[in-house]
Amino acid sequence: MVDVSQHELVPEHTVLEEDVLEDVLTEYNIDRTDLPKIKRSDPALPDEAEVGDVIKIVRNSRTTDQAVVYRLVVE
């Protein structure tokens, strides 16, 4: 089988540490549940991602070089 997460078009996905997550939530003045969702079954997620974790996704962008987005892992 092909490992989709290693494909060159899939952006980098990393699990955020709790202390970094608190800084992000404070910066945007939101709660964890306000974040957009991503399913645990998404093949691009790191193997260590669990339901309730927040994933940082770094995408290439034509306008800002890199765009960073965050997603909450759900079932």
Side-chain angles (χ1 to χ4, degrees), residues 40-59:
R40 174 61 195 110
S41 59
D42 191 304
L45 282 178
D47 291 335
E48 66 272 10
E50 297 178 3
V51 173
D53 285 343
V54 174
I55 305 299
K56 176 181 177 182
I57 304 170
V58 180
R59 298 181 176 136

Side-chain angles (χ1 to χ4, degrees), residues 25-43:
L25 296 177
T26 301
E27 178 181 348
Y28 292 107
N29 193 28
I30 59 173
D31 292 323
R32 180 187 301 243
T33 55
D34 294 330
L35 292 168
K37 313 300 187 267
I38 187 169
K39 288 194 167 210
R40 174 61 195 110
S41 59
D42 191 304

Side-chain angles (χ1 to χ4, degrees), residues 1 3-4 8-9 17 32 36 40-41 44 50 52 54-55 73:
M1 288 189 70
D3 184 2
V4 174
E8 66 184 42
L9 296 178
E17 298 293 327
R32 180 187 301 243
R40 174 61 195 110
S41 59
E50 297 178 3
V54 174
I55 305 299
V73 179

